[in-house]
Amino acid sequence: MRKPLLIVLLALGMGQLVYAQDGGYRTPPKALADLVNTPPTPGFNVDSKGDWVLITERAANPSIAELSQPELRIAGLRINPANNGPSRGFPLINLKLRKLNGKEEMQVKGLPAKAAISNLTWSPDETKIAFTNSSENKIELYVIDVATATAQKLSDLAVNAALGSPLNWVSDSKSLIVTTVPNARGAAPALSRVPSGPTIQENLGKKGQAPTYQDLLKNPSDEKLFEYHATAQVVKLGLDGSVQNIGQPLLVTDATPSPDGQYVLVESVHRPFSYIVPMRYFPTKVDVYSLNGSLVKTLTDNPLVENAPWGSDATIPYPRNYNWRADVPATVTWVEPKDGGDAKRKVAVRDVLKTLEAPFSGEAKELYASALRFGGVTWGNANTALVQERWWATRKQVTKILNPSNPTNPVVLLERSFEDKYSDPGRPETRKNQYGRQVLDINAKNELYFTNTVGASPEGDRPFVSVLNLVTKENKVIWRSEAPFFEIPVSLLSAEKGLLLTRREAVDQNPNYFIRNLNFNAKKKKKNETAVTQVSFFPDPYPQLKGIQKQVLRYKRNDGVDLTATLYLPAGYKKEDGPLPTFLWAYPAEFKSKDAAGQVSGSPYKFNAISFWGAAAFVTMGYAVLDNASIPIIGEGDKEPNDTYVEQLVASAKAAIDEGVKLGVVDSSRVGVGGHSYGAFMTANLLTHSKLFKAGIARSGAYNRTLTPFGFQNEQRTYWQAPDVYNRMSPFMNADKMKTPLLLIHGEADNNTGTFPVQSERYYNALKGMGATAKLVFLPYESHHYDSQESLMHMLSEMNGWLDKYVKNAGKATTPAGSVGGKTEK
């Protein structure tokens, strides 16, 4: 009997071996592969005067070989140890210049032979453009002379870009403040694999609630590596090559010159470090230096924050957000919490905005007291600034007009719910002042232009430009995108002349840039003059997608909530051909109001720029696609949205399918569902708690909420406060209910908070243990978003194969959509 048993065991072993080695990157059908191979459309970067355009060409998706280069994953960062910059990104590979109103493009001369360009920054006078170029072992600084379209390397100094943006122009446009690798840094620390002792953490009875951060420091060796690569020398680097050190080498996170160019604000972190929170919570020091390099004043030295108050409305209990006031020569601003950063404390004032002007020897002034959490300030002039405060729990947002010279009685300008898209005025237009800083563009009538790039409305998204009077508070729309186009305001080139730069597209017209004359209908028109003038001429990147049909659907959930989805149908499809296999793709969102949840989103006039990333790509494979289907999770008043998460989730998905069935295009017996991140969590829950779908695809999700016990997404309660909610919402806890095929895809190097790769690994093991049909695909070196050419091709191949096997060939519909929880809904 032993011989047959041995044969069986060998056979089982071989089966597992074949499965484990069923590797190698695969390529999807050509229609899907072509979407990955489509070259990125160039960028169109216009200076604030509307004179010059910088046209930027981006690299295609990197290869897996590029992605597999060494990287340090420490302190919440990902650093390239070879050149002291970020290890991931999409650098630019070429630059061109031309006049905005011209067509002749000038190739920028003097670019590095193998360009990898980042940190593009126009000089304050806009005659030059600075950028960094990354090589295998160094990051260097270049400057372009715009008039001659010529780039030149400014210095042999190595730039340190490990902790953020490494360069800022001084206001005279003759020098830059740059973070560099210290000349005397020496070799990287030699790290021993033999530990000097255990790694110890201790908490002395204080609450230390924190999200499940990734890429944290783990031991003393990590600390040494972090210090080595993060330490930078701030310098003033002149266009003539002169170098002036600013202070001593520090772990610099930001270095910004004052508007008048006389001081530098330097923010840095220091020991003691933490193994449970990322760098932004490390002890933080903020100093002001003079431009000659000497220390003028230390503004704060915050301690390590491991026990910060928890929640969306909470903040650190120390001063934060140090910046220069943009409209005056040299005044530092910052925010101090008056509630200790604790949203649960009941206080009249949450935050105060403080200022301290040069020479920084006096007492700081309180400029504004915020009843809600302070949300930012846009400076204008001595008499006008706009301040914002908001509170997540109530979705309340307040914008006030502040007179910096007499701040005693700020005036409420706008008060609204920030989840109410229809009431969003957009953002105020700004202009460059004499310091090259952006300030409010206030005209002689005390008016501001506002631009809204979404323009949500009951008719769908219609971007607009409005004029808001700061005295009467009247906000008048002066232009709005009109059918058959979807047109986005980019920037106001001239308020006086009414010239607006827009990006316009239509279903069959790819996006291009235009100059729109807002005064066209109000003035006497010249011969051959038109309201719009095209200024970019990018070709259609997707000619193979001509004929794809698109429609924005509007329908209701069974509780009366209005929902929307974008329906894609294959080119040449007719309803007489019968209902199609369908792929639904969504990402849930929480709301405190049914009215806000039911607001229309999307536009039927957008170009069919079908990306390889979501579900829309599968319209090329013969599917009807219900893309961006509304999945609102609503908790009005004192109710929490997630208390009825499952019921609202299933009802929303069913409503989308039913609408497609009613139109005669969706085959209810052949519907698949998918999503990424929180959409993956949604997918697993829909398969667990309904029988609406034949299969699901979940990418880079979290499935066991006990592994994120201090909240997730917008859930504010901890696991111990709402264990039933956490357990019911966790697909892992309900793995025994899963009866529908599920494909799990995850990047092995996912660094997104909460979506550890182990989430997919453990969930797959649970499904396997319960006998479910499931497949787990780990993509090497990929993070939360997948970047390499090979990984993207393989992702599409896996998704297409799964849908083909379990959805497209699952049989045709014989009954209406939707049994839920084993019972047919009526």
Side-chain angles (χ1 to χ4, degrees), residues 48 60 108 231 245 260 395 438 687 732 752 763:
S48 67
V108 174
T231 298
N245 285 352
D260 66 359
R395 311 301 197 266
Q438 294 291 337
L687 300 191
F732 179 88
N752 183 60
Y763 185 40

Side-chain angles (χ1 to χ4, degrees), residues 33-42 58-61 539-544 612:
D34 285 347
L35 297 177
V36 179
N37 291 325
T38 299
T41 298
R58 193 168 296 280
N61 299 304
D540 184 349
Y542 305 105
Q544 75 275 22
F612 54 76

